[in-house]
Amino acid sequence: MSGEMGMFISYLKKKDLKLTDQRKIILDVFLKTERHLSVEDLYNIAKKKDSSIGQATVFRTLKLLREADIAKEVDLGDGKTRYEHKYGHEHHDHLVCLECGRSIEAVDSKIERLQDGLCRKHGFLPQRHKMEIFGICKKCR
Amino acid sequence: MSGEMGMFISYLKKKDLKLTDQRKIILDVFLKTERHLSVEDLYNIAKKKDSSIGQATVFRTLKLLREADIAKEVDLGDGKTRYEHKYGHEHHDHLVCLECGRSIEAVDSKIERLQDGLCRKHGFLPQRHKMEIFGICKKCR
DNA sequence: TTGATTTTGAAATTCAATATCAATTATAGC
DNA sequence: GCTATAATTGATATTGAATTTCAAAATCAA
């Protein structure tokens, strides 16, 4: 069992929620996919494992995964909310190209540390954050 | 005439767009309002100045103002896109409280500098960015 | 095993974002 | 000022992601 599955089980226990087959399959598939997934994307992949899984469940499970700090919301500026898992990934920001739509994952641990400091200065307890820079990428310039 | 109006006129000229009464009124009202405004919010305010102004025009004008770098998109996590003007404001991030919904504007020039550096390192030309930290504010803790 | 409670999936609903289109308006060139 | 051309407008319709609904099914503590 992966660490993420353990985190999820703990989270569900804490909230008096149940561990269902659907939730297990959705998390499993989610962790194995290295992409920014919309609800529909993940639904299409999960369906292959268990054709009875519905979109609503995927939607609800992604919300739970975000609360459990296993998933991260990403906005690529196309009007759909996308998710990525945190498994095996350092913190990173997204540089989203307005020309080709591709996104680069850029890491800077200093930024995160400064963000935490900023929160502390305001007595604010951070839970998650969203950070996307939109512009033109190297190739499109 | 404010600097912003000048910026807007230049932008419109560059794009071969026209300066209309509606656009002037919408920008004027937008600059005078110190709040995070949804399209509907701004529509309701602008309507008082000129009751013939339609939502669609407000929506389209806000888009133009963002392109002209006069407006900034803000996500307060309630599913509506909001806008704030940049007039008289330093760059700032938003700390959005998940309990009470209020948002704190927090400034850290170091973060912005690091972000620019990050972009440069990836050959990326930044145009705008979105940065919101969600958590619990001082009062709600 | 039981029973209270949660979960599920199909379908319906909501609602912000966006497109449509005929009428109106801005502006460059005469 | 006029005219032609292209852009703009606002009411309305449409889209589509996000969310809710609800009866049937599944979970799990006792």
Side-chain angles (χ1 to χ4, degrees), chain B residues 35-47 54-56 58-59 62 80-83:
Chain B
R35 268 201 298 138
H36 298 123
L37 296 161
S38 66
V39 172
E40 212 195 337
D41 292 340
L42 187 56
Y43 166 63
N44 286 324
I45 301 171
K47 225 172 29 182
Q55 283 217 41
V58 174
F59 166 75
L62 275 172
K80 278 187 211 173
T81 301
R82 289 162 183 284
Y83 296 86

Side-chain angles (χ1 to χ4, degrees), chain B:
Chain B
M1 185 176 72
S2 72
E4 278 68 21
M5 190 61 83
M7 282 170 71
F8 193 36
I9 292 172
S10 306
Y11 182 78
L12 293 175
K13 270 247 170 65
K14 196 175 74 185
K15 294 273 173 178
D16 271 315
L17 301 174
K18 291 167 182 169
L19 180 64
T20 64
D21 289 345
Q22 289 91 334
R23 286 176 179 167
K24 272 190 271 185
I25 290 169
I26 291 167
L27 173 54
D28 192 53
V29 166
F30 180 56
L31 291 177
K32 282 184 178 149
T33 309
E34 295 292 337
R35 268 201 298 138
H36 298 123
L37 296 161
S38 66
V39 172
E40 212 195 337
D41 292 340
L42 187 56
Y43 166 63
N44 286 324
I45 301 171
K47 225 172 29 182
K48 288 178 192 160
K49 284 242 169 180
D50 180 346
S51 63
S52 76
I53 286 177
Q55 283 217 41
T57 302
V58 174
F59 166 75
R60 288 181 288 224
T61 303
L62 275 172
K63 232 168 150 180
L64 290 174
L65 291 174
R66 199 194 57 186
E67 287 164 22
D69 206 38
I70 292 164
K72 188 174 158 184
E73 234 180 79
V74 180
D75 176 2
L76 300 183
D78 66 347
K80 278 187 211 173
T81 301
R82 289 162 183 284
Y83 296 86
E84 64 180 24
H85 64 249
K86 295 186 165 184
Y87 179 71
H89 295 275
E90 261 190 285
H91 166 74
H92 58 262
D93 296 331
H94 291 100
L95 311 182
V96 183
C97 180
L98 294 168
E99 282 287 321
C100 65
R102 282 173 198 281
S103 67
I104 302 161
E105 299 188 351
V107 180
D108 193 333
S109 58
K110 269 187 217 152
I111 290 179
E112 186 154 15
R113 233 174 296 133
L114 285 170
Q115 284 168 354
D116 284 344
L118 196 62
C119 289
R120 221 174 302 122
K121 209 164 70 186
H122 287 84
F124 191 87
L125 183 69
Q127 291 196 352
R128 61 172 197 270
H129 74 255
K130 248 186 182 178
M131 160 85 226
E132 288 100 17
I133 302 176
F134 296 91
I136 313 294
C137 76
K138 212 173 188 171
K139 285 182 192 167
C140 292
R141 286 229 257 173

Side-chain angles (χ1 to χ4, degrees), chain A:
Chain A
M1 186 176 71
S2 72
E4 277 69 22
M5 190 61 83
M7 283 171 70
F8 193 35
I9 291 171
S10 307
Y11 181 78
L12 293 175
K13 270 244 171 63
K14 196 175 73 184
K15 293 272 174 178
D16 272 315
L17 300 174
K18 292 168 181 169
L19 181 64
T20 64
D21 289 344
Q22 289 90 332
R23 286 177 178 165
K24 271 189 273 186
I25 291 169
I26 291 167
L27 173 54
D28 193 52
V29 167
F30 180 56
L31 291 176
K32 282 182 178 151
T33 310
E34 297 291 339
R35 268 200 297 138
H36 297 124
L37 297 161
S38 66
V39 171
E40 211 195 337
D41 292 339
L42 188 56
Y43 165 65
N44 285 324
I45 300 171
K47 222 169 34 178
K48 287 178 192 161
K49 283 242 169 178
D50 180 347
S51 63
S52 75
I53 287 178
Q55 282 216 44
T57 303
V58 175
F59 166 74
R60 288 182 287 227
T61 303
L62 275 172
K63 231 168 150 180
L64 290 174
L65 291 174
R66 198 193 57 185
E67 286 163 23
D69 207 36
I70 293 164
K72 187 175 157 185
E73 234 180 79
V74 181
D75 176 2
L76 300 184
D78 66 348
K80 280 187 209 172
T81 301
R82 288 162 185 283
Y83 296 87
E84 64 180 23
H85 65 251
K86 295 185 166 186
Y87 178 71
H89 294 276
E90 262 189 284
H91 165 74
H92 57 263
D93 297 329
H94 291 100
L95 312 182
V96 184
C97 181
L98 295 167
E99 281 287 320
C100 64
R102 282 172 197 281
S103 67
I104 302 161
E105 299 187 352
V107 180
D108 194 332
S109 57
K110 270 187 217 153
I111 290 179
E112 185 153 17
R113 234 174 295 135
L114 285 172
Q115 283 169 355
D116 285 343
L118 196 61
C119 290
R120 221 174 302 121
K121 210 164 68 184
H122 287 84
F124 191 87
L125 183 69
Q127 291 196 353
R128 59 171 198 274
H129 74 254
K130 249 187 181 178
M131 160 86 226
E132 288 100 17
I133 303 175
F134 297 91
I136 312 295
C137 76
K138 211 172 188 171
K139 284 180 191 168
C140 291
R141 285 226 258 172

